[in-house]
Amino acid sequence: MEVTGWGRTMLCELCQCEEAYNFHHFIPRTLHSNKWFKRRYTRQEMQQGMEVCKPCHSAIHDLIPDEKKLGRDYNTREKLLAHPQLQGFVQWKREKGRTKPKRKRKDSA
């Protein structure tokens, strides 16, 4: 988790609803030694990614389980958000976050 200041945490770069506890590499780390990727991307480019919450990170890998496809076709935030199923998940999550009822405080009597 990246801390942006005293006590403030970064929100998920996909849904903007939850604190980001996971770093998602746009090119999965398992592919960093793959010749196809090494020829096309610098070491610095392969380290790029974004801070995401656990549900969004799980959704990325559940909806795009093929790591080579993930690294080749969905290696930016914009490309990930263009994926129809992931786009639907993020939209659902944002709406859920907006309509989430406030918890009632229990009186300590």
Side-chain angles (χ1 to χ4, degrees):
M1 176 174 54
E2 183 177 301
V3 177
T4 59
W6 288 102
R8 291 183 0 197
T9 57
M10 177 179 277
L11 288 178
C12 174
E13 292 184 53
L14 282 181
C15 71
Q16 298 292 309
C17 296
E18 292 186 40
E19 292 178 6
Y21 289 101
N22 297 174
F23 185 78
H24 171 72
H25 286 88
F26 291 132
I27 298 171
R29 288 182 297 169
T30 57
L31 301 174
H32 290 191
S33 60
N34 181 293
K35 288 180 185 180
W36 190 91
F37 288 93
K38 285 174 82 170
R39 277 184 268 148
R40 287 166 176 79
Y41 300 98
T42 65
R43 195 176 289 189
Q44 184 180 8
E45 288 171 323
M46 285 199 253
Q47 293 299 322
Q48 292 179 351
M50 64 183 167
E51 297 288 340
V52 292
C53 64
K54 181 132 181 87
C56 284
H57 201 204
S58 294
I60 291 168
H61 289 284
D62 290 345
L63 296 171
I64 313 166
D66 181 345
E67 290 198 338
K68 286 184 180 177
K69 184 168 184 63
L70 186 60
R72 289 179 179 160
D73 300 335
Y74 298 101
N75 53 24
T76 66
R77 180 181 180 274
E78 291 74 24
K79 289 178 182 178
L80 282 167
L81 286 172
H83 185 279
Q85 291 173 301
L86 187 59
Q87 186 178 46
F89 173 81
V90 170
Q91 184 177 357
W92 168 81
K93 196 152 183 288
R94 286 177 182 165
E95 289 171 7
K96 178 183 161 195
R98 270 190 240 121
T99 59
K100 193 173 187 179
K102 292 183 180 179
R103 295 168 122 194
K104 291 182 181 180
R105 286 179 61 190
K106 292 183 180 180
D107 292 331
S108 56

